[in-house]
Amino acid sequence: MSKQHLPVLAKHATPFYLYDLGLLRTTLDQAKTEAQQYGYHVHYALKANANAPILAEILERGFGADCVSGNEVKRALEAGFTPENIVFAGVGKSDAEINLALQSGIFCFNCESVQELEVIQELAAAQGKTAQVALRINPNVDAYTHKYITTGLEENKFGINTWELENLLPNFSHWPNIKLIGLHFHIGSQITDLRAFENLCGRVNELQDWFEARGYTFPHLNVGGGLGVNYQQPEEHPIADFKEYFGIFNRLLTKRPGQQVHFELGRALVAQCGSLISKVLYLKHGQKTNFVILDAGMTELMRPALYQAYHKIENLTSNLPAKTYDVVGPICESSDCFAKGIELPETHRGDLVAIKTAGAYGEVMASAYNLRDRVQAVYVD
Ligand code: LLP
């Protein structure tokens, strides 16, 4: 968000999320064009941002929905996604969530454990339904990203480990209410070293061969999401490299005849279109540093506190020469800090700042800690 929007921004009470729907549309169009040329299907990961105006743009482009809770399935249906375009993942699906998904007739459960498969069989039988299922396999591929958002290593809780597969397969003949239609993988998030996806393709090929040798072929292959965005230079790189990303899978993934390949992108579609706009409440001169105290905190944007994540911060009001600041929030936690030792134009009480690249895993992860008000959203074109 730039200074030109200042008069519009000044009308709204801070803090609020500001979404640039124009940038969202351009991003979605590029992703769609690059995916379409290979016949790839994209399921948007609702967990990144589930706001109705954003979902409407995503739906309009024909993407499906990737959900990880019953409420996300409900939200996707309310937004207009058809059940046939909804997939449901998660290591801890409750009985109520499974029942809801069965009743809704979603396309596919991405199953993460043997016990979950047993429960789905039982609940599907009780409803007289057949559940379409993909096995989420833990491929043991390093995503070279932050350890909290790595999901595809054997030390992680996600997916079925490969050594369990041999014993698992015979069970499917005793599970009449489960139809095994595919394999699912997701190795992590904010992946910027794209060799991780090359390695994933190699692993998926090996696993498909393994299944084929045992008489299993699948119409459906889901390789997850994870494509990273540029938090350092959002203005210079507002759109992720979808061309390179989908190109890797086209080059390296051995698709079986008629097999549909699905992706589950979240961050790369929505991160750059959102900024958290906040007002400077106070300046405080500490012993070693100058603090800028904002009216937004970790309750509105948790990523810096949780993952030590970097978000670029811009002072939208001041054009004065730069000074060095720690930018912090009002919450009673020392981890409530957005940035340490950064340069900003000399900053004063009342200045507006934008915390960039906050469209993904920002508003959805907001909390009510300290009994904070729910953060608002504003949309511009
Ligand atoms: N599919 C599955 C099964 C996932 O677990 C995730 C993200 C995605 C797709 C979408 O991944 P993406 O394309 O957005 O990277 N809160 C963290 C990110 C957690 C990601 C969780 N899973 C953050 O703020 O960085």
Side-chain angles (χ1 to χ4, degrees):
M1 229 11 71
S2 59
K3 293 182 197 260
Q4 91 212 32
H5 294 103
L6 204 51
V8 184
L9 304 190
K11 286 193 205 141
H12 298 275
T14 52
F16 59 89
Y17 273 91
L18 183 72
Y19 295 102
D20 177 346
L21 293 180
L23 177 57
L24 174 65
R25 289 183 195 118
T26 314
T27 308
L28 294 174
D29 288 340
Q30 278 199 24
K32 184 176 174 177
T33 305
E34 295 303 332
Q36 235 173 14
Q37 59 175 311
Y38 309 118
Y40 291 158
H41 290 251
V42 176
H43 287 252
Y44 167 65
L46 256 79
K47 65 176 85 63
N49 188 312
N51 290 5
I54 291 188
L55 294 183
E57 296 292 340
I58 289 166
L59 180 70
E60 206 180 299
R61 280 153 187 88
F63 295 147
D66 161 39
C67 302
V68 285
S69 71
N71 285 344
E72 283 193 0
V73 172
K74 276 191 208 158
R75 178 71 63 91
L77 290 167
E78 279 160 19
F81 290 89
T82 55
E84 309 82 65
N85 276 320
I86 297 178
V87 295
F88 182 18
V91 285
K93 301 177 187 78
S94 71
D95 292 19
E97 290 177 314
I98 293 170
N99 276 326
L100 168 85
L102 285 168
Q103 274 149 14
S104 315
I106 63 157
F107 169 59
C108 190
F109 290 84
N110 293 332
C111 289
E112 308 228 8
S113 70
V114 179
Q115 207 169 22
E116 180 192 332
L117 285 159
E118 288 165 356
V119 171
I120 291 179
Q121 161 57 32
E122 195 183 306
L123 297 176
Q127 283 197 31
K129 295 251 166 75
T130 302
Q132 299 210 105
V133 155
L135 297 180
R136 177 170 181 178
I137 298 181
N138 186 328
N140 204 20
V141 170
D142 199 337
Y144 312 122
T145 184
H146 192 283
K147 65 174 192 284
Y148 285 5
I149 49 177
T150 290
T151 49
L153 289 177
E154 281 174 0
E155 68 205 50
N156 302 127
K157 68 179 174 181
F158 298 99
I160 298 172
N161 288 307
T162 46
W163 67 79
E164 295 175 281
L165 294 174
E166 191 83 67
N167 287 340
L168 170 64
L169 287 182
N171 287 323
F172 283 97
S173 55
H174 316 302
W175 290 334
N177 299 76
I178 286 185
K179 186 171 174 205
L180 181 58
I181 61 161
L183 301 180
H184 173 235
F185 304 86
H186 174 74
I187 56 172
S189 198
Q190 184 50 18
I191 297 171
T192 51
D193 183 343
L194 299 192
R195 282 174 308 171
F197 295 116
E198 297 176 2
N199 297 341
L200 173 63
C201 289
R203 214 43 204 119
V204 174
N205 293 342
E206 282 168 19
L207 282 157
Q208 287 227 85
D209 291 344
W210 186 93
F211 276 99
E212 224 162 69
R214 283 154 186 81
Y216 289 82
T217 50
F218 303 107
H220 168 66
L221 195 58
N222 182 334
V223 291
L227 177 62
V229 298
N230 195 321
Y231 283 91
Q232 273 69 30
Q233 298 175 303
E235 291 84 12
E236 292 84 342
H237 304 281
I239 300 185
D241 196 347
F242 295 112
K243 192 181 184 61
E244 174 66 12
Y245 173 69
F246 289 116
I248 288 175
F249 288 90
N250 178 53
R251 270 201 319 280
L252 299 177
L253 193 68
T254 314
K255 215 172 95 168
R256 303 310 195 246
Q259 195 167 48
Q260 266 195 1
V261 183
H262 291 232
F263 291 79
E264 296 172 341
L265 291 175
R267 186 188 320 260
L269 298 178
V270 297
Q272 298 291 18
C273 79
S275 299
L276 176 59
I277 307 296
S278 177
K279 198 172 270 180
V280 176
L281 289 176
Y282 302 106
L283 273 294
K284 184 160 137 177
H285 304 288
Q287 202 180 28
K288 294 193 184 139
T289 183
N290 295 315
F291 290 106
V292 171
I293 302 172
L294 299 180
D295 64 2
M298 63 192 284
T299 40
E300 285 68 50
L301 178 63
M302 201 197 279
R303 302 192 70 257
L306 192 58
Y307 315 115
Q308 299 81 46
Y310 173 82
H311 285 258
K312 188 172 174 192
I313 300 176
E314 191 184 347
N315 183 326
L316 300 172
T317 311
S318 170
N319 288 315
L320 296 167
K323 289 181 82 170
T324 305
Y325 296 102
D326 282 9
V327 180
V328 301
I331 306 303
C332 299
E333 297 272 347
S334 293
S335 61
D336 183 28
C337 175
F338 288 117
K340 274 191 195 304
I342 61 159
E343 301 261 298
L344 286 178
E346 189 180 310
T347 297
H348 293 103
R349 173 172 163 83
D351 287 356
L352 278 185
V353 304
I355 305 178
K356 306 283 186 104
T357 321
Y361 307 110
E363 195 179 336
V364 272
M365 289 174 71
S367 87
Y369 183 42
N370 287 193
L371 298 190
R372 299 272 291 173
D373 290 329
R374 173 97 210 152
V375 64
Q376 298 300 303
V378 173
Y379 301 88
V380 289
D381 258 299

